[in-house]
Amino acid sequence: MSAALYILSTIGGYVVTTTLLLKCPSLLHSKKKQSFKCRHISHRGGAGENLENTMAAFRHAVALGTDMLELDCHMTKDEQVVVSHDDNLKRATGVNVSIADLKFSELPPYLWKLGISFQKECCCEGGDDKRIPLLKEVFEEFPNTPVNIDIKVNNDVLIQKVSELVKEYNRQDLTVWGNASDDVVKKCYKTNSTIPILFSLQRVLLLVGLFYTGLLPFYPLREQFLEIPMPSILLKLKDPSKLTRSQKFITWVADALLMRKALFEHLKARGIQVYIWVLNDEDDFKRAFDLGATGVMSDYPTRLKKFMELYFPKEQ
């Protein structure tokens, strides 16, 4: 009996402690300093309103008042850091070639119309700007706009080049970088620890495991930004009749595990911003902010701005 009471009291003490620290993490951890806070994030500059990752898209988003530009980086044969989601340019330009095999001056222009990855059966038709830009062009034209950089390939030279550009334009406090790959994020942090980093996929899985075991309040975190998808949007991107029961079940489980307000509130209390991507519908915008996300990433910056004007009326 005494052993049972001991076990119960130990478990009870653990539950009470972890619950308290989950709500009040400042008892163990100093809150991370935030040099910028973002709610409105333009995915690839706003791929639903202008051709993705072009200067035209970035200008449009910034003119609307976006809080952050999200973009992707690769490196050319002559070691120029360019803004492009794909390494192979077949989808975006119609030319089956890798960026790494071409000099910057040899890069082909984008097609006049591109599909929108996170909007079912939709395309965006571009204007005159179909050029793949340099990262430094973005830094030069938008010196005060936070930029979220996805390092698309595990390349030491690319990571070093991006770090040098961030230093050159004094953007350590206006840039966040990383990738789903844990190796890439580790290299980013090792190369320049002054630039905030994202959670890799491996670290997201660890984060979820720590949260559900009650260990998260005790675990130190060096990341400052959690970017995660809302799994339920996958059901909107595919024909429901083509999804198997197992696919639907896995999506439901992933959504239930990741979209947790208690998790988001704990991270925010530790100074970690939570961004949910890529959302293009009002109901998804609302769900994300209702859950406590600090920011939403969208292909439609105008649509997101209009929603936020209604959702946050006192702050407009």
Side-chain angles (χ1 to χ4, degrees):
M1 184 68 178
S2 59
L5 287 174
Y6 175 77
I7 293 173
L8 288 174
S9 63
T10 300
I11 294 174
Y14 174 73
V15 171
V16 170
T17 301
T18 193
T19 300
L20 173 64
L21 293 175
L22 191 67
K23 293 181 178 296
C24 305
S26 59
L27 295 174
L28 278 185
H29 307 281
S30 297
K31 189 173 183 178
K32 297 178 185 294
K33 295 181 180 180
Q34 298 177 329
S35 55
F36 59 86
K37 296 181 181 180
C38 300
R39 282 179 175 163
H40 185 295
I41 306 162
S42 297
H43 180 245
R44 304 183 195 175
E49 297 177 14
N50 287 274
L51 292 183
E52 63 182 57
N53 282 323
T54 58
M55 294 303 293
F58 300 140
R59 291 183 186 118
H60 174 67
V62 171
L64 279 173
T66 193
D67 297 321
M68 172 181 275
L69 297 172
E70 188 274 344
L71 52 80
D72 314 276
C73 283
H74 286 278
M75 190 172 65
T76 61
K77 186 177 181 180
D78 52 347
E79 297 189 349
Q80 296 295 308
V81 180
V82 296
V83 180
S84 171
H85 180 270
D86 302 349
D87 172 38
N88 185 283
L89 294 174
K90 177 66 175 178
R91 175 189 70 90
T93 72
V95 182
N96 187 17
V97 64
S98 172
I99 287 177
D101 293 332
L102 297 177
K103 295 179 180 179
F104 175 66
S105 60
E106 298 172 332
L107 293 177
Y110 284 119
L111 298 170
W112 70 276
K113 181 170 70 173
L114 293 178
I116 304 169
S117 301
F118 293 91
Q119 189 72 21
K120 186 179 179 180
E121 298 178 353
C122 285
C123 294
C124 177
E125 296 183 8
D128 296 331
D129 186 5
K130 298 181 180 65
R131 186 177 60 88
I132 297 174
L134 294 164
L135 178 61
K136 70 176 183 179
E137 293 180 74
V138 180
F139 286 175
E140 288 173 354
E141 188 158 344
F142 311 108
N144 301 312
T145 302
V147 173
N148 182 316
I149 301 175
D150 189 346
I151 304 293
K152 298 304 290 187
V153 291
N154 189 350
N155 183 306
D156 293 358
V157 178
L158 171 61
I159 292 170
Q160 183 62 44
K161 291 283 185 180
V162 172
S163 174
E164 291 171 357
L165 285 169
V166 171
K167 290 179 183 178
E168 179 182 349
Y169 290 92
N170 194 28
R171 293 187 53 92
Q172 291 91 333
D173 294 333
L174 286 172
T175 306
V176 54
W177 63 344
N179 183 265
S181 165
D182 198 54
D183 287 340
V184 170
V185 176
K186 286 178 178 177
K187 288 181 179 180
C188 288
Y189 187 77
K190 183 178 180 180
T191 300
N192 191 337
S193 61
T194 66
I195 306 174
I197 57 174
L198 305 165
F199 281 86
S200 66
L201 175 58
Q202 181 177 324
R203 295 279 290 180
V204 170
L205 297 176
L206 173 64
L207 187 73
V208 171
L210 292 170
F211 174 69
Y212 283 100
T213 57
L215 294 171
L216 181 56
F218 307 99
Y219 197 86
L221 300 169
R222 63 172 178 262
E223 296 88 350
Q224 291 178 253
F225 294 84
L226 173 66
E227 287 185 7
I228 53 175
M230 181 181 287
S232 62
I233 69 169
L234 297 177
L235 299 177
K236 297 181 179 181
L237 300 178
K238 296 183 178 181
D239 184 344
S241 64
K242 295 182 179 179
L243 292 173
T244 65
R245 288 185 179 180
S246 60
Q247 289 175 323
K248 292 179 181 179
F249 178 74
I250 291 171
T251 300
W252 177 83
V253 170
D255 196 85
L257 290 175
L258 283 175
M259 297 295 103
R260 296 304 300 272
K261 186 169 186 176
L263 172 60
F264 298 166
E265 294 296 337
H266 174 80
L267 294 175
K268 289 192 297 181
R270 292 175 66 165
I272 297 171
Q273 296 187 52
V274 179
Y275 300 158
I276 299 181
W277 56 268
V278 171
L279 310 183
N280 293 323
D281 297 326
E282 289 187 8
D283 56 339
D284 292 327
F285 297 159
K286 184 177 187 304
R287 185 186 179 209
F289 285 121
D290 285 348
L291 284 169
T294 55
V296 162
M297 195 179 294
S298 179
D299 289 315
Y300 294 88
T302 302
R303 192 181 297 177
L304 178 56
K305 180 183 179 181
K306 290 179 179 179
F307 170 82
M308 289 176 59
E309 288 173 347
L310 297 174
Y311 193 87
F312 303 104
K314 295 181 180 179
E315 300 178 30
Q316 303 300 320

